[in-house]
Amino acid sequence: MIRNQAALDDLLARTRRFVREVAIPNEDRVETEDKVPSEAIEAMRSIGTFGWSIPEEYGGSGLTQEELALAFIELTQCSVAYRVIGAQNAGIGSECIIRDGTEEQKRAFLPRLATGEILGCLALTEPTAGSDATALKTTAVQDRSGDWVINGHKKFITLAPVADLFAVFARTDGRERGGDGITAFLIERGTPGLEPGPQTPKMGQEGAPIGEVFLRNCRLPADRIIGLEPGKGFRTVMKALNKQRINLAALCTGPAIRLLDEGVRYAREREQGGQQIGAYQLVQAMLAECKVEIEATRALILQTARKRDRGEDVTMDVSLCKYLATEMCCRVADRIVQVFGGEGYVKGRGIERFYRDVRAPRIYEGTSQIHLLNIGRRLLASAD
């Protein structure tokens, strides 16, 4: 649902200008320094990326799901690090608070998340709890004072090395698995017992740190439970991920568009056999396949976003989007490396960087296989 087309057009134009004038020229620097430059962060603040999905009454832009998808498609036509640093607050960095936080929690944290004063992260995954998030072993026990004492170990947490606010999920019912006994806590960096680990080395996505979080007798008052209701955390995170999976689909479409643009440009300038390689039909076919898949994915994302804006159930739709977009982006990256040939494999053009960067989304926020299972189960459950 687009509320004000002129305002949206202006936002998209400013985002394109940021990508063209700030983000792309600094991509090599981001990779070399493994961080997003402060001037790029300030430029993202100027277009409001940190608060795009945070309601206006808390200092954000309050974009609808459709508007957010369109904005993310533009923002991500550059290195992945920019959107991780500058837009996670507009996704899982704030969504649990938006969905189920108390008014006091919203006013305490959302305005600062919206400006980028603080960065939020979602600490759910554990060494033995990935696809089966209900198997998490982090525990929270309430003592006689009414405080909760949390112990556990989180892993592969995006922005953990630099985040200021952690949405931490812990089991409060004493059982070993199941979603009903999981509680969501808000923990600020510096809280005794919360120990973020160093950055975890990874294949790609330089400038977008991930890491571990250790919780050792981390004591919190009861008012740090999201929504003040123990045992509701798993439902909270599922609500957040339903929205985030549409976001992630859009976040994978932007890099695919950039890769195709680079491939078309190279096919028109590179010559072999006395002519541009774009004149060869097999090269044209690879580019055409990329275009078809990008446009089909974009259409599904926007269709799903509109359904969510209308309040319809999109539980299966978000799995369709997440699966299609993440798999599509990897296929596009593979084809474009092939179009570039050796130039696509070596460093210098940035193509190999995208090839590495876009592999991760097929794993996080539900692997492709988990989403296929979800789609299959829902199909069978809905059959007459």
Side-chain angles (χ1 to χ4, degrees):
M1 179 177 64
I2 296 174
R3 302 162 303 170
N4 185 323
Q5 189 65 57
L8 178 62
D9 289 344
D10 178 65
L11 174 63
L12 298 181
R14 288 187 289 124
T15 303
R16 290 188 200 105
R17 189 160 55 249
F18 162 78
V19 169
R20 182 178 65 251
E21 298 177 1
V22 179
I24 292 176
N26 281 289
E27 285 178 329
D28 290 342
R29 179 182 173 190
V30 168
E31 181 176 13
T32 301
E33 298 179 0
D34 202 8
K35 64 181 293 186
V36 176
S38 58
E39 57 266 33
I41 293 174
E42 286 304 314
M44 287 188 284
R45 283 198 178 104
S46 72
I47 56 175
T49 62
F50 292 92
W52 273 349
S53 70
I54 293 174
E56 292 177 283
E57 59 265 38
Y58 303 108
S61 302
L63 298 185
T64 66
Q65 185 72 75
E66 183 179 3
E67 292 167 341
L68 190 60
L70 291 167
F72 276 151
I73 288 171
E74 295 295 339
L75 179 64
T76 52
Q77 293 178 42
C78 55
S79 291
V80 172
Y82 293 106
R83 66 91 172 166
V84 173
I85 297 295
Q88 176 155 304
N89 284 3
I92 57 175
S94 65
E95 192 61 26
C96 289
I97 304 172
I98 293 170
R99 294 305 303 259
D100 286 340
T102 65
E103 185 61 26
E104 291 75 13
Q105 289 168 346
K106 291 176 181 178
R107 297 208 172 275
F109 296 112
L110 292 182
R112 291 191 289 157
L113 288 165
T115 63
E117 175 190 342
I118 61 175
L119 293 177
C121 77
L122 188 143
L124 177 65
T125 300
E126 298 184 358
T128 59
S131 293
D132 181 8
T134 66
L136 62 84
K137 298 185 183 302
T138 296
T139 61
V141 178
Q142 194 169 28
D143 66 13
R144 292 181 180 179
S145 71
D147 288 349
W148 290 84
V149 181
I150 306 176
N151 285 279
H153 175 200
K154 302 294 182 178
K155 193 173 186 179
F156 303 137
I157 306 304
T158 302
L159 292 187
V162 298
D164 304 289
L165 180 66
F166 299 74
V168 173
F169 296 81
R171 186 165 297 288
T172 52
D173 65 353
R175 295 190 298 168
E176 292 188 359
R177 62 192 323 113
D180 289 341
I182 294 174
T183 300
F185 294 87
L186 291 171
I187 311 179
E188 294 180 86
R189 179 176 287 272
T191 300
L194 174 76
E195 301 174 20
Q199 182 169 332
T200 301
K202 54 191 187 303
M203 180 193 300
Q205 299 200 3
E206 289 88 356
I210 67 171
E212 298 175 279
V213 180
F214 299 93
L215 298 130
R216 298 185 173 104
N217 294 321
C218 182
R219 180 177 293 273
L220 293 174
D223 64 6
R224 286 308 176 92
I225 293 175
I226 295 180
L228 305 184
E229 291 189 65
K232 306 295 185 183
F234 192 70
R235 285 177 236 178
T236 295
V237 75
M238 287 299 103
K239 293 176 191 175
L241 288 176
N242 255 1
K243 178 176 183 177
Q244 178 61 16
R245 284 162 178 165
I246 304 175
N247 293 345
L248 182 58
L251 296 169
C252 288
T253 304
I257 293 170
R258 166 75 179 285
L259 281 162
L260 179 56
D261 288 346
E262 296 284 354
V264 169
R265 187 177 301 111
Y266 187 72
R268 297 179 66 179
E269 69 184 35
R270 178 75 164 110
E271 291 189 359
Q272 284 287 292
Q275 60 182 341
Q276 296 174 349
I277 64 171
Y280 292 104
Q281 290 179 329
L282 289 177
V283 172
Q284 292 175 14
M286 285 191 288
L287 297 174
E289 287 174 327
C290 293
K291 180 65 172 176
V292 169
E293 290 199 68
I294 289 169
E295 294 306 324
T297 302
R298 191 205 311 253
L300 178 63
I301 292 167
L302 295 180
Q303 171 184 292
T304 302
R306 293 178 192 121
K307 287 178 69 173
R308 188 178 184 278
D309 283 337
R310 293 195 298 266
E312 299 178 30
D313 180 11
V314 293
T315 305
M316 184 164 79
D317 304 74
V318 299
S319 282
L320 293 169
C321 284
K322 201 275 183 182
Y323 174 77
L324 178 62
T326 57
E327 295 287 330
M328 174 276 294
C329 193
C330 282
R331 287 192 294 269
V332 168
D334 188 68
R335 293 190 195 107
I336 298 304
V337 168
Q338 197 71 9
V339 169
F340 272 81
E343 291 290 340
Y345 189 76
V346 300
K347 289 185 179 293
R349 289 272 187 169
I351 301 302
E352 57 80 31
R353 179 170 56 227
F354 272 103
Y355 187 81
R356 291 181 289 110
D357 286 353
V358 302
R359 183 59 180 84
R362 290 168 62 195
I363 299 171
Y364 54 64
E365 295 181 28
T367 65
S368 292
Q369 289 67 37
I370 288 296
H371 284 286
L372 285 175
L373 289 174
N374 183 46
I375 294 164
R377 280 195 298 263
R378 290 184 174 277
L379 277 174
L380 292 170
S382 65
D384 292 332

